[in-house]
Every structure is written in structure tokens, then in C-alpha cells.
Amino acid sequence: MPTTRHCNYCPHPGADCCIRVQRDSEGGRHIYAHQVCAAIRGMRPLYVLIEELPHIGAAR
């Protein structure tokens, strides 16, 4: 089951990219956004989240 991530810039769930990692006492916290919300603000994602790839079986 996918994790619902909240966008740092809007009230809608389903953020699909990480825009920064904020350091804290526990190591770090990833800050997420929708790619569109980040682009509007000139932010470049550190990485984009993708849904789990389908299982295609063992290599032969």
C-alpha cells in the first residue's frame, strides 16, 4: 500500500517528489511536494517517487 505524502506547498496529499532533506536531531526529514507545485516555485526535485514496479519474474 502506498504511503500518502503531503505537499509542502499545497493542502492536497499525494506529493510525488522530494525537494530537500532537513537535518534534525534524528538524522533528517524528507520534505515532499507535487512536481507541479515545486516547478511553479522554481524548485528542482532531489528525487521523484515512483510507484512500485510490477513483478516481472526471475531472469532466465
Side-chain angles (χ1 to χ4, degrees):
M1 175 185 271
T3 302
T4 301
R5 292 178 177 86
H6 297 280
C7 181
N8 191 57
Y9 300 117
C10 79
H12 304 289
D16 57 0
C17 71
C18 177
I19 55 169
R20 74 176 174 266
V21 177
Q22 187 170 349
R23 298 210 180 266
D24 60 19
S25 62
E26 296 178 10
R29 182 171 61 104
H30 294 249
I31 308 298
Y32 299 105
H34 297 105
Q35 291 182 63
V36 172
C37 293
I40 288 169
R41 290 158 180 83
M43 298 292 297
R44 295 177 60 187
L46 296 175
Y47 59 87
V48 175
L49 302 163
I50 59 172
E51 292 186 31
E52 187 174 329
L53 298 174
H55 180 70
I56 50 177
R60 294 181 188 211

